Amino acid sequence: MVPVFGRRPPFDRSERSLSATERMLCVSRLNNYLFMMPAHETIVEQLGLLIHGGYMYRNPAQPDFKKALVEFYRQSMDGKLQPIETSGPSTAPSFSLFGVSGAGKSTVLERALSFYPRAIQHPVHGILQLVWLKVDCPPDGSLKQLLLAIIVQIDAILGTSHMDEINRSDPIDKLIFDVARVAALHHLGALVVDEIQHLLDAPGVGPAKMLNFFVTFANEVKIPFVVLGTPKAKRMLGTLLREARRLSDQGSYEWDRMKQDEDWDLFLNALWKYQWLKQAGALTPEVSEAMYDQTQGVSALVVRLFQLSQWHAIRSKSESITASLINHVAKEQFKLLQDFITALRSGDREAAGRFEDIYQAEIKKLNNVTHLNYIDPKLEETATNKLRKRFVSNLIYGGCEPSEASGLAEKIFSNPRLETIQTKQLAGLTKRARSLETIDGLITTVAIAQAGRQDPIEALEAAGYFADMEDGVA
């Protein structure tokens, strides 16, 4: 197993003596929690085999492949898609992964991908290589939107301008050709398509078009791919999987929720130490039973219920987690999930499938839960207050002490000149506050400004913290 694979938030028992607000902020650190389970190792290994195996017969330094690639480019300039013929297998390796939302399949795969460089420049060969690309099918998207999104992402990552050459009104088959051509040009190592059930739900996307898309990548340009989706996607892809074995060339995996066995004990015991309660208690069989009953072993639900229970315990001043508290919080916060959870309890997969869409929407809301609703319910939720809370949370998430984070936020957000800063610039500042290097720079810049009796906002502007920010909040 890979020791650094998991993501553990900073934790110190002494933090349990902090103020209620500060401890609530500390609980927010669990938003990014990832504990590597034994089952994850299979997917990590499979991804490595897929990427390396896909390049085995696509080495641009080899004369045969170089010749085949040149011929492919020549044909593509004439609008023809000729397979890149090599001495290797006729199809690229690929696999599919299905499971309920919140079980961790996307998180684990993204974490595994993060151990590979996104892009590599090879000056000797004159190649700009794209090692991997992960795209999410938009909830209301079509195959055309997905194809265009692939080109846009390639341009954003590599700094290229392929989108300028693409006609958005072209038919699907032409866009599939364009995407395959660009992917081959940059020697894409693996294409990962997530949330494929959205694509399958979109009108006008039939099995033939889907098959053409995957066959083109696997057979024509020999680029491996991974497909991720929910059990609903697996049911919808059943016929396609049988027609195109390449969709599961290296296996079709079903990522199920945790069973109430040693894996469950391992996961919950590892999580349980991250308590910021004054009366943090040991994990008892009764509490473990309540946690499993209310989450049915879905890892994202387990972490969120653990966070929600701590926030409730702090606000209610009970300062401990009990089975009754867990049941109470789940009843209040998981209201719209109850039909799905009940179906999981009964083992009725067909019933669970009927509530899958509602469940997906609700779990995404839970994944976006932050401390915003738990710090001070009396505080008016203006846009600035929300950004201030996110800013403090990001500072703590990045390793800043809660008291120091609160102090820095007070110095910045109480400044009257802040009203002249556009919301999107301020949002960018909160987003960058997740970086430890940025945190140190923020603190130093504000401290120097105060020592010299300079306006801290002016100092941050002069240091470039409000320049070229991205839209959105972290």
Side-chain angles (χ1 to χ4, degrees):
M1 295 184 57
V2 185
V4 295
F5 185 88
R7 292 193 299 258
R8 309 291 187 88
F11 174 79
D12 193 303
R13 289 177 181 272
S14 64
E15 293 173 329
R16 291 171 177 169
S17 62
L18 295 172
S19 70
T21 298
E22 289 172 326
R23 287 184 290 126
M24 287 180 181
L25 290 170
C26 289
V27 174
S28 297
R29 296 176 190 170
L30 289 169
N31 287 347
N32 201 37
Y33 180 79
L34 173 62
F35 180 71
M36 187 173 187
M37 301 290 290
H40 297 168
E41 190 172 5
T42 300
I43 301 303
V44 174
E45 290 177 347
Q46 202 64 47
L47 181 66
L49 290 172
L50 181 124
I51 292 176
H52 289 93
Y55 279 129
M56 189 174 295
Y57 299 97
R58 290 193 297 142
N59 185 347
Q62 297 296 324
D64 287 347
F65 180 73
K66 187 182 293 185
K67 181 179 178 181
L69 201 57
V70 169
E71 182 60 27
F72 170 79
Y73 290 150
R74 183 180 292 116
Q75 294 288 337
S76 70
M77 295 303 292
D78 294 331
K80 302 175 184 177
L81 188 62
Q82 174 174 312
I84 300 177
E85 299 293 350
T86 68
S87 58
S90 60
T91 185
S94 36
F95 70 89
S96 50
L97 179 61
F98 302 100
V100 297
S101 295
K105 58 186 183 299
S106 299
T107 301
V108 170
L109 197 65
E110 287 171 0
R111 182 61 172 163
L113 287 170
S114 72
F115 285 88
Y116 294 88
R118 181 73 67 88
I120 305 174
Q121 178 77 53
H122 300 277
V124 174
H125 302 290
I127 291 172
L128 183 55
Q129 176 191 2
L130 184 61
V131 180
W132 58 269
L133 180 68
K134 181 179 180 294
V135 290
D136 294 346
C137 299
D140 56 350
S142 64
L143 181 55
K144 175 176 281 192
Q145 288 176 314
L146 176 65
L147 294 167
L148 293 173
I150 291 173
I151 298 293
V152 169
Q153 281 201 39
I154 291 175
D155 281 347
I157 295 167
L158 301 181
T160 51
S161 55
H162 296 295
M163 199 61 208
D164 294 343
E165 307 164 4
I166 304 297
N167 185 344
R168 293 173 181 267
S169 62
D170 279 343
I172 294 288
D173 290 343
K174 175 61 167 60
L175 288 175
I176 290 174
F177 168 80
D178 289 334
V179 171
R181 176 176 53 81
V182 172
L185 174 66
H186 294 293
H187 304 271
L188 178 60
L191 174 66
V192 180
V193 182
D194 200 354
E195 303 286 8
I196 197 169
Q197 67 277 359
H198 297 321
L199 182 61
L200 295 168
D201 278 337
V205 182
K209 291 182 180 179
M210 287 284 294
L211 188 61
N212 185 23
F213 173 54
F214 291 118
V215 166
T216 298
F217 268 80
N219 282 13
E220 311 299 325
V221 292
K222 307 295 193 298
I223 294 175
F225 59 84
V226 182
V227 173
L228 285 80
T230 63
K232 178 181 179 181
K234 185 176 184 180
R235 293 191 297 273
M236 297 174 72
L237 274 171
T239 303
L240 192 60
L241 284 167
R242 287 190 292 272
E243 291 182 14
R245 288 176 297 169
R246 57 196 61 84
L247 269 177
S248 53
D249 174 66
Q250 291 194 1
S252 179
Y253 301 91
E254 182 128 17
W255 197 297
D256 204 358
R257 57 200 172 94
M258 288 179 281
K259 293 181 172 60
Q260 204 169 4
D261 54 18
E262 60 272 11
D263 281 354
W264 166 257
D265 294 335
L266 180 68
F267 181 86
L268 196 57
N269 274 290
L271 177 66
W272 209 252
K273 85 165 194 177
Y274 294 99
Q275 291 187 61
W276 284 272
L277 303 175
K278 291 184 177 179
Q279 298 177 33
L283 179 61
T284 65
E286 293 77 18
V287 168
S288 176
E289 180 66 35
M291 286 292 289
Y292 191 85
D293 184 57
Q294 297 295 349
T295 64
Q296 290 300 297
V298 178
S299 56
L301 290 181
V302 177
V303 176
R304 295 299 169 258
L305 183 54
F306 186 52
Q307 287 180 289
L308 292 165
S309 296
Q310 288 197 62
W311 280 325
H312 183 86
I314 293 172
R315 290 188 59 187
S316 67
K317 296 183 171 56
S318 63
E319 294 290 350
S320 66
I321 297 178
T322 63
S324 60
L325 181 140
I326 288 169
N327 292 328
H328 171 75
V329 172
K331 181 180 178 181
E332 292 297 315
Q333 301 295 331
F334 290 0
K335 288 179 181 178
L336 297 181
L337 298 175
Q338 289 310 306
D339 288 335
F340 183 80
I341 295 294
T342 299
L344 291 180
R345 284 194 194 106
S346 68
D348 189 340
R349 289 176 176 267
E350 185 177 340
R354 290 198 296 270
F355 302 112
E356 193 171 295
D357 291 339
I358 296 174
Y359 166 75
Q360 271 190 277
E362 285 305 303
I363 201 167
K364 284 181 180 178
K365 290 179 184 177
L366 283 172
N367 286 338
N368 291 328
V369 166
T370 67
H371 63 281
L372 295 181
N373 297 322
Y374 297 89
I375 293 179
D376 187 352
K378 296 178 182 178
L379 184 63
E380 182 183 357
E381 287 300 329
T382 63
T384 301
N385 280 337
K386 288 181 179 180
L387 286 169
R388 173 177 177 157
K389 292 174 183 178
R390 284 192 187 274
F391 179 72
V392 173
S393 180
N394 284 345
L395 289 175
I396 294 174
Y397 175 89
C400 185
E401 290 297 322
S403 57
E404 193 171 26
S406 298
L408 181 60
E410 179 65 26
K411 294 170 186 175
I412 294 175
F413 285 80
S414 62
N415 192 298
R417 280 213 60 249
L418 196 63
E419 295 179 4
T420 65
I421 303 296
Q422 293 183 7
T423 302
K424 68 176 183 178
Q425 293 175 308
L426 183 56
L429 180 60
T430 70
K431 188 169 186 177
R432 289 180 60 186
R434 283 185 179 268
S435 162
L436 190 56
E437 181 180 348
T438 300
I439 291 169
D440 290 339
L442 286 168
I443 294 173
T444 301
T445 301
V446 173
I448 292 174
Q450 280 202 316
R453 295 186 178 181
Q454 180 188 0
D455 187 325
I457 298 299
E458 290 181 356
L460 288 170
E461 284 182 299
Y465 283 102
F466 288 124
D468 301 321
M469 296 294 189
E470 297 182 30
D471 290 343
V473 288

